[in-house]
Amino acid sequence: MSRTRRSSAKAPPDAAPGSVTGAEGQPPRGHRSSALPLAWALAALVAYASLYPFVGWRWPAGLSPEALLVLPLPPWRVPFDMVANGLGYVPLGLLVCLAGLRQGLSWPLAWGLAILAPGAWSYLMECLQHLLPGRFPSRLDWLLNLGGAAVGGMLGCLLRGSRWLARWQRWRQAWLVERSAGALVLLALWPLALLFPTALPFGLGVEGVRLQDALVDLLLDVPWAQSGLEWVLAWSLGEAPLGAGSELSAAVLGLLAPCCIAHAVLRGPGHRAVAVPVVMGVGGLAATASAGLNFGAVHALAWVTPLLLAAGGLAALAGLACALAPQRLNAALGMVGVALLLQLVLQAPADPYLAASLQGWEMSRWARFHGLAQWLGWGWPLAALCWLGWRVALPQQAVDGASAGTVPAGRRARG
């Protein structure tokens, strides 16, 4: 038997054409996986929720360096906090386990990594809470975090045993180009970023008035920055309400941005056309969840207005048109769209009614989640611009190679 035929025979019978997979349909060692960047992103979100509001850092009186590493048992038990601490680490354990499996680890090692890595991160967060007023380090919280991570890791192992990982890998090879992990992370975080209500519909980014106030507070007591302070005070942002045309444009651009990100990594026009209604549906669900969380379940569909329905139709038509464009052009169009959206958001005036409606949420048990969604809404467009810019700057050879897929096993054996 020839060398080529021996190589081809080793590939699993249900592998995607033109792909190279490992044992049991798993990707080869070192394969780029979206699980690892998603795990890092989730770890950052956990850190935010654990250390919010990041003010008042101090070394408690009488606390020795050794005592900093000791986690006491709290005398109280809050059912909501216990459930949140247990469930909050399940996705992190799942992602760490999947990342380990995708790197070729056996399931016991991947499960152990899914417990140890989130457990160490949780222990660090609890120790740092010694230094924050109003936060209380808790051994019970740490143990609940460990339990949640262990459950998530076991779910990852079960997914591997049921061959869901192999099915996901085959789907990803058939639909997505290589180096698509960043796009998957952005698309996964987009609906979470939409949970924080904005001045413009689907208008993620920092409002100009809020940015101006933050810069004034930052520069006010800095003697050598007074010229910069005068320049910031001269900004005329959010002074006049935006018209219906600006709101329509913001909604269209806000829905079109994730479509362009998806189009930049999907292989063919047919795949991209399927992504358009998925993005529209996810955006609608996120807007419904945001309205329900902020204004009550009876107002969950209050965002459905004729203007936004028109914006959804225009965004869908534009997304279907962009599905016919090459991947690099979609990345460039996405950059332009996100930049225009940020410009509109900067010009949006502050909404006092919206600010008043959020006060109850900010003072409730959802305060950390509220702040987390807010930072996601501010940072998502900037992260999208960075990724789209990187995608546009990729050498054409790399883009062509990613679009063509991996080298077939037989051809690689001949090489």
Side-chain angles (χ1 to χ4, degrees):
M1 183 180 294
S2 67
R3 187 177 181 182
T4 300
R5 294 182 63 187
R6 285 198 304 270
S7 303
S8 302
K10 292 180 181 179
D14 51 356
S19 63
V20 181
T21 54
E24 299 182 3
Q26 301 299 323
R29 187 183 300 270
H31 180 80
R32 293 177 181 268
S33 170
S34 58
L36 186 57
L38 277 172
W40 278 112
L42 187 55
L45 299 183
V46 165
Y48 180 92
S50 301
L51 304 179
Y52 180 84
F54 297 96
V55 293
W57 293 86
R58 83 283 183 266
W59 190 275
L63 182 70
S64 64
E66 297 81 9
L68 183 67
L69 304 178
V70 177
L71 301 180
L73 279 174
W76 58 84
R77 302 288 188 274
V78 181
F80 175 84
D81 290 343
M82 294 177 65
V83 173
N85 278 288
L87 295 180
Y89 270 71
V90 172
L92 185 57
L94 172 64
L95 290 172
V96 172
C97 181
L98 292 179
L101 292 172
R102 296 290 295 274
Q103 293 299 321
L105 296 181
S106 62
W107 75 263
L109 289 178
W111 187 34
L113 180 65
I115 298 174
L116 292 178
W121 189 248
S122 170
Y123 182 75
L124 175 62
M125 296 299 106
E126 294 294 332
C127 290
L128 289 177
Q129 289 183 12
H130 279 291
L131 311 179
L132 279 171
R135 304 307 303 269
F136 303 96
S138 169
R139 192 188 315 167
L140 176 62
D141 290 351
W142 178 61
L143 292 175
L144 290 170
N145 296 156
L146 275 179
V151 171
M154 182 55 67
L155 289 175
C157 295
L158 292 176
L159 287 176
R160 177 188 181 276
S162 62
R163 297 184 62 83
W164 276 103
L165 286 183
R167 294 186 181 97
W168 160 253
Q169 177 59 21
R170 289 194 296 271
W171 179 88
R172 180 170 174 175
Q173 288 176 336
W175 283 65
L176 301 174
V177 301
E178 294 178 357
R179 304 182 183 182
S180 59
L184 293 178
V185 173
L186 287 171
L187 293 174
L189 294 179
W190 179 63
L192 298 178
L194 288 176
L195 292 180
F196 183 78
T198 57
L200 292 176
F202 300 102
L204 298 179
V206 184
E207 294 89 347
V209 176
R210 189 186 296 267
L211 179 61
Q212 187 177 28
D213 292 342
L215 290 177
V216 168
D217 292 339
L218 182 64
L219 301 176
L220 189 60
D221 298 324
V222 182
W224 51 267
Q226 294 308 302
S227 60
L229 177 61
E230 295 176 0
W231 177 69
V232 172
L233 289 173
W235 291 355
S236 56
L237 298 175
E239 295 181 352
L242 299 180
S246 297
E247 293 187 6
L248 178 67
S249 300
V252 172
L253 293 172
L255 289 170
L256 192 57
C259 288
C260 290
I261 292 174
H263 292 350
V265 294
L266 286 166
R267 290 192 179 276
H271 301 137
R272 299 167 201 157
V274 172
V276 173
V278 174
V279 169
M280 300 299 138
V282 171
L285 290 176
T288 301
S290 175
L293 287 172
N294 287 283
F295 308 112
V298 295
H299 302 291
L301 296 178
W303 66 273
V304 182
T305 62
L307 184 143
L308 287 185
L309 290 178
L314 291 175
L317 291 176
L320 291 175
C322 290
L324 303 175
Q327 294 161 351
R328 184 189 292 272
L329 180 56
N330 269 293
L333 292 173
M335 286 187 66
V336 175
V338 173
L340 292 175
L341 177 62
L342 286 174
Q343 177 65 24
L344 287 172
V345 174
L346 281 175
Q347 298 294 331
D351 188 346
Y353 300 102
L354 178 60
S357 66
L358 293 178
Q359 289 181 354
W361 195 9
E362 291 174 350
M363 301 301 295
S364 70
R365 63 181 57 175
W366 298 100
R368 282 174 285 174
F369 177 77
H370 170 271
L372 183 59
Q374 176 178 257
W375 279 99
L376 278 176
W378 290 347
W380 190 90
L382 301 178
L385 274 179
C386 292
W387 184 87
L388 290 166
W390 168 81
R391 193 73 188 181
V392 171
L394 274 180
Q396 187 62 40
Q397 183 179 2
V399 175
D400 293 340
S403 301
T406 53
V407 180
R411 187 176 302 172
R412 178 172 293 185
R414 288 195 297 269

